[in-house]
Amino acid sequence: MSSNMPPQSNRDRISAGKDKLSSDFKSVVSDGEQLLGEAAAQGSDNVTAISAKVAERLASAERFVVEKSKATAQATDVYVRENPWRSLFIASGISFVVGLIVTRAMTPSRT
């Protein structure tokens, strides 16, 4: 049973990372919309300052996404190493479904 605990904690970490990434992305988009609204309200005098703020926020978001992507990749690597057969079966199942969908999409209909 203890061998099942690490995958669950990896899933929890991945899920928490996805949730945090999603909320941070929404925050960046909201901030960008707010800054664009301020730019429109203040005119062209402050556009340079506001565009610098937007660039700074986007750079920060990019760093965050890269960090979270690396953490997710590491968690996935740990999971695959701890559960090689399960990972193999999951990958095989996904490949089968994708192959089935592609085959049906490529086959002309006979109606």
Side-chain angles (χ1 to χ4, degrees):
M1 282 242 161
S2 64
S3 66
N4 289 338
M5 294 304 290
Q8 184 63 37
S9 65
N10 285 339
R11 284 189 207 133
D12 291 342
R13 282 186 270 162
I14 290 170
S15 178
K18 286 189 331 186
D19 293 343
K20 176 80 170 120
L21 180 62
S22 176
S23 68
D24 286 346
F25 182 73
K26 288 177 185 176
S27 175
V28 168
V29 169
S30 174
D31 289 346
E33 290 173 348
Q34 180 183 359
L35 289 172
L36 286 174
E38 289 175 12
Q42 294 178 1
S44 63
D45 294 339
N46 293 328
V47 170
T48 308
I50 291 173
S51 62
K53 284 183 185 179
V54 170
E56 181 182 325
R57 292 280 184 144
L58 289 176
S60 174
E62 181 183 14
R63 285 191 301 273
F64 177 78
V65 168
V66 168
E67 289 172 8
K68 289 301 177 182
S69 297
K70 287 180 182 180
T72 302
Q74 288 173 344
T76 302
D77 186 53
V78 168
Y79 180 79
V80 169
R81 289 178 189 276
E82 290 176 356
N83 302 291
W85 289 109
R86 184 180 288 171
S87 302
L88 179 67
F89 290 131
I90 290 170
S92 298
I94 291 171
S95 298
F96 176 76
V97 170
V98 168
L100 187 65
I101 291 170
V102 169
T103 300
R104 289 193 180 219
M106 300 293 286
T107 304
S109 64
R110 297 181 183 176
T111 55

